[in-house]
Amino acid sequence: MSALAQCILALVLAIWGVKLLLPDRNVWGNPQFETLMMQCQIPSTEAIIRLYQGNGGATVAYWYSVTFDHGKFPGEKQIFHAYAYPSIQSIDCHTDGITVFTDEQDFNLTLEQIKNQLIKQPIGFYKGELQQKSIQPLRILTLSSGVLLESISVWILSRSFKQFRASRHPGHPRNSRTS
């Protein structure tokens, strides 16, 4: 394989690895199986609040994710999650924060609370029980795969640079092989 092809392969693997290493939108649930139900904007801000319903198929219950997107990196982040129940009915944005309406109770979250606490540690419920943030096994696998792809891309790049240097200086003693 040519040095250029190796560099392109290394670049593709590096980009894929970085994508796997970047933080996900959700702490709980899988964004790939979520459907946007509604969204609102907190007045006088660029902050968008979104409510998603997740459906993983016949063997799992519905889940709900409320996210906060302030239009800056790292982008949209989960701030509230419920698996099975309480079932989130709707959200409402107001000047100082949001209200999350569930079938059991309403949660009033201030903008300050969202920015300082909830984007780091979302509120999470599992079948009505308050949950603590934990690393999910799938996320560990994803991070490990990202690190592996980055390592492979560095190894491929180092090989391609050696090959490139060898092709530029074919008569150099380091590049000639002796038997």
Side-chain angles (χ1 to χ4, degrees), residues 3 6 153-164:
Q6 288 180 22
S153 70
V154 167
W155 179 74
I156 291 172
L157 270 177
S158 69
R159 286 195 60 215
S160 69
F161 287 141
K162 287 178 185 174
Q163 182 180 346
F164 178 73

Side-chain angles (χ1 to χ4, degrees), residues 66-127:
V66 177
T67 64
F68 172 76
D69 185 351
H70 54 44
K72 300 173 185 154
F73 187 80
E76 191 175 13
K77 298 298 286 179
Q78 186 178 58
I79 58 171
F80 194 102
H81 176 266
Y83 177 81
Y85 55 89
S87 173
I88 300 176
Q89 306 299 311
S90 64
I91 54 173
D92 181 51
C93 295
H94 39 85
T95 307
D96 58 343
I98 67 166
T99 303
V100 177
F101 298 98
T102 75
D103 56 355
E104 295 180 9
Q105 73 181 83
D106 300 339
F107 295 86
N108 290 304
L109 310 173
T110 67
L111 186 56
E112 184 177 320
Q113 180 184 18
I114 291 169
K115 287 181 176 180
N116 295 332
Q117 297 170 1
L118 298 179
I119 60 172
K120 297 175 191 130
Q121 176 76 40
I123 296 170
F125 287 93
Y126 180 81
K127 296 183 178 180

Side-chain angles (χ1 to χ4, degrees), residues 17 19-22 137-147:
K19 184 180 181 317
L20 291 174
L21 292 171
L22 287 175
L138 183 59
R139 185 65 183 146
I140 292 171
L141 180 63
T142 302
L143 291 172
S144 300
S145 299
V147 169

